[in-house]
Amino acid sequence: MKRVQWTIFIWLCSLCVLSAQTLRERLDALVQSDPVLQRSEVGITVFDLTEGTSLYQYQADKLYRPASTEKVITAVTALARLGENHCFRTHLSYTGTLCQDTLKGNLYVAGGFDPEFTEEDLDRFAQAVYDAGIRTIEGDLIGDVSLTDSVYWGPGWSWDDTPESFQPYLSALMLNRGCVKITVTPQSKGESPQVEVNPVSDYYTVDNQAKSYDATSGKLRITRDWLHNGNTIRISGNVTRQTTRVLNLYSSENFFLQTFRCRLREKGITLRAVSKGLCPSDTISLAVCSRPIDEVLKRALKKSDNLSAEALFHHVGIQEADTLYVGFEESQEAICRFMKEEIGHLPERYRIVDGSGVSLYNYVSPALLLAYLKYAYYHAPVFQPFYEALPIAGIDGTLQGRMKKGKAFRNVRAKTGSVTGVSSLAGYVHASNGHMLAFVIINQNVLKSREARSFQDKICEILAR
């Protein structure tokens, strides 16, 4: 009987070895044969979290630009350092005294770098002022943006990405993600199209030179005079159907404050001027907008949103710096400190300069990203919100249109990354044997992202099986 048991044991061990070899062989075969690697590079690492063993490595220690898989580092660090109960708070308060319907003092808005602060939140702030009985403010509306410094873009960000909505001007006071939504609708042939811009504000102007159903007008263009930091929205060309575009605006805090003044004016509330300054510690509170970290985290990972990732990145720096005007350098230092103390990697071997992966200066290895995935998995308070916020293959987020068939469908949760020349994927796979695997794939020097994505999807299918 013992001999039979021993034989079965040896057979099972052989099966495990054969299975592991088969996985390595299949991945090696893919790396050697896939056309995308004839003209580009890749780094790959796979780890069995259930067994605690490495399954595959290919150039895993080399440095690559991570693109938006950098958000894995940001998200894991933010959850570990800030905690799942952290909130992004914007405060509305005043100084002075209320005499009937007149405030003899200033109205303050202290920014909390909340990337999700919306037009509805601004309306609630205006209503709070109205409900307090205030109709006249003899002082100023003052914005406190001291939570962050005045550098509105990260090191290595491409200046010509503006005025795209994915690169807003960063500030402690963000309204509508620092962007406006422009909808252009054609009218009768030869007439100017109808233009609607939201949120409504007097902070920007509209220059509508477009024509409806006029082929001689040329291609439709919706932009602004971004080269000179202007906020004139310019519409030109031929409009044949309703078209919507989202653009950023220069100076997010000024957009916030000026639009808030408009909302107050609509309610019959007047004030002297709009300015910026520090909010005193003894102000009287009128309202607080509190945003849980979960909302910011999900947009950062599911939608690969750069603003949300930078807010998480800066809040890590804000908590650890304990000073005013925290910028990229303080946040970088906080990220590197966590990397050394908790992840066990030396920061000087890598370069991390922002939280979103937009920068051309970021350099990490697949092995480093894997270490963050492993840290999250083995720390339950971090893993649960992190895992829930990752895109699901074939279901939602940036993976909604990928891996819609096969074993990878629904079984992969991963962060995508894409900038010119880079395509990356990092996350988790539920394998068919019940094990949880962590993986990182970074394709570099790829001009056709769809080829790299196809290669990554093939790897995920192999891992899921």
Side-chain angles (χ1 to χ4, degrees), residues 63 70 73 77 81 329 331-353 361-365 368 371-372:
L63 295 181
E70 175 100 352
I73 294 174
T77 307
R81 287 298 199 223
E329 288 186 4
S331 299
Q332 291 160 13
E333 290 171 3
I335 293 288
C336 289
R337 205 157 34 242
F338 180 81
M339 183 191 301
K340 183 177 182 179
E341 295 173 358
E342 301 295 335
I343 301 300
H345 282 243
L346 295 175
E348 54 266 30
R349 293 182 177 177
Y350 314 98
R351 181 173 294 169
I352 294 175
V353 299
Y361 302 159
N362 291 310
Y363 279 95
V364 306
S365 68
L368 178 66
Y372 280 87

Side-chain angles (χ1 to χ4, degrees), residues 381-424:
V382 173
F383 184 67
Q384 183 175 359
F386 176 66
Y387 187 72
E388 289 298 320
L390 288 170
I392 306 171
I395 299 297
D396 65 11
T398 54
L399 285 181
Q400 185 174 11
R402 294 174 59 177
M403 295 177 268
K404 297 181 75 69
K405 296 180 180 179
K407 290 289 186 180
F409 176 64
R410 290 183 181 269
N411 286 321
V412 173
R413 293 196 183 215
K415 181 71 203 73
T416 58
S418 181
V419 296
T420 301
V422 181
S423 181
S424 51

Side-chain angles (χ1 to χ4, degrees), residues 140-381:
D140 295 348
L141 167 61
I142 301 175
D144 184 340
V145 292
S146 61
L147 203 66
T148 60
D149 67 11
S150 59
V151 180
Y152 50 72
W153 285 341
W157 286 21
S158 298
W159 60 270
D160 57 346
D161 276 341
T162 197
E164 299 295 339
S165 60
F166 61 77
Q167 187 162 303
Y169 295 80
L170 307 181
S171 172
L173 282 174
M174 300 294 304
L175 169 64
N176 203 47
R177 317 184 59 72
C179 298
V180 289
K181 179 181 177 183
I182 303 129
T183 303
V184 181
T185 306
Q187 302 299 297
S188 299
K189 185 176 181 179
E191 290 186 356
S192 296
Q194 176 186 333
V195 177
E196 181 181 355
V197 185
N198 286 297
V200 175
S201 176
D202 62 3
Y203 183 64
Y204 54 81
T205 57
V206 176
D207 179 18
N208 182 10
Q209 298 295 325
K211 296 295 181 182
S212 303
Y213 306 107
D214 182 2
T216 64
S217 296
K219 185 179 179 180
L220 175 64
R221 295 188 72 237
I222 304 172
T223 187
R224 66 174 177 85
D225 51 342
W226 55 270
L227 192 59
H228 302 96
N229 291 332
N231 288 315
T232 297
I233 298 167
R234 290 177 173 158
I235 300 140
S236 61
N238 180 26
V239 184
T240 59
R241 58 185 175 83
Q242 187 176 85
T243 304
T244 298
R245 190 170 180 203
V246 180
L247 301 178
N248 67 22
L249 291 180
Y250 175 69
S251 185
S252 291
E253 63 262 29
N254 289 337
F255 174 43
F256 184 110
L257 293 169
Q258 193 66 31
T259 307
F260 189 25
R261 182 177 190 172
C262 288
R263 294 295 187 272
L264 293 172
R265 188 187 301 130
E266 289 171 1
K267 290 186 172 296
I269 302 168
T270 60
L271 53 90
R272 188 173 60 192
V274 173
S275 60
K276 281 173 274 188
L278 293 176
C279 181
S281 59
D282 59 347
T283 57
I284 300 169
S285 179
L286 281 173
V288 178
C289 179
S290 185
R291 190 87 48 204
I293 192 173
D294 186 60
E295 289 186 31
V296 179
L297 181 73
K298 283 184 176 178
R299 186 185 284 267
L301 297 182
K302 290 280 189 189
K303 303 295 184 183
S304 197
D305 185 76
N306 296 326
L307 174 60
S308 295
E310 295 303 336
L312 292 167
F313 180 73
H314 277 73
H315 269 255
V316 171
I318 289 163
Q319 175 167 290
E320 297 200 11
D322 197 29
T323 58
L324 297 178
Y325 307 109
V326 171
F328 282 88
E329 288 186 4
E330 290 83 2
S331 299
Q332 291 160 13
E333 290 171 3
I335 293 288
C336 289
R337 205 157 34 242
F338 180 81
M339 183 191 301
K340 183 177 182 179
E341 295 173 358
E342 301 295 335
I343 301 300
H345 282 243
L346 295 175
E348 54 266 30
R349 293 182 177 177
Y350 314 98
R351 181 173 294 169
I352 294 175
V353 299
D354 68 5
S356 60
V358 170
S359 176
L360 303 178
Y361 302 159
N362 291 310
Y363 279 95
V364 306
S365 68
L368 178 66
L369 286 175
L370 180 70
Y372 280 87
L373 293 171
K374 289 165 64 177
Y375 178 91
Y377 183 77
Y378 294 123
H379 293 78

Side-chain angles (χ1 to χ4, degrees), residues 33-186:
S33 65
D34 199 284
V36 73
L37 298 185
Q38 294 177 4
R39 302 175 303 279
S40 62
E41 288 288 326
V42 70
I44 307 168
T45 183
V46 183
F47 189 86
D48 189 325
L49 294 160
T50 306
E51 291 287 345
T53 57
S54 176
L55 296 181
Y56 189 80
Q57 292 189 64
Y58 181 82
Q59 302 188 144
D61 292 317
K62 284 190 175 182
L63 295 181
Y64 301 88
R65 287 167 53 203
S68 283
T69 50
E70 175 100 352
K71 294 179 174 76
V72 168
I73 294 174
T74 303
V76 171
T77 307
L79 285 169
R81 287 298 199 223
L82 302 175
E84 58 183 325
N85 296 319
H86 182 78
C87 289
F88 299 72
R89 294 186 175 90
T90 306
H91 296 264
L92 176 67
S93 60
Y94 68 89
T95 57
T97 58
L98 281 172
C99 297
Q100 296 182 338
D101 65 353
T102 301
L103 171 60
K104 296 182 180 296
N106 296 318
L107 187 65
Y108 286 88
V109 183
F113 202 164
D114 176 4
E116 296 293 319
F117 194 96
T118 65
E119 189 176 4
E120 289 74 22
D121 297 316
L122 195 69
D123 289 338
R124 281 191 284 272
F125 271 19
Q127 188 64 41
V129 178
Y130 185 88
D131 291 344
I134 300 171
R135 300 297 180 269
T136 302
I137 300 171
E138 292 188 347
D140 295 348
L141 167 61
I142 301 175
D144 184 340
V145 292
S146 61
L147 203 66
T148 60
D149 67 11
S150 59
V151 180
Y152 50 72
W153 285 341
W157 286 21
S158 298
W159 60 270
D160 57 346
D161 276 341
T162 197
E164 299 295 339
S165 60
F166 61 77
Q167 187 162 303
Y169 295 80
L170 307 181
S171 172
L173 282 174
M174 300 294 304
L175 169 64
N176 203 47
R177 317 184 59 72
C179 298
V180 289
K181 179 181 177 183
I182 303 129
T183 303
V184 181
T185 306

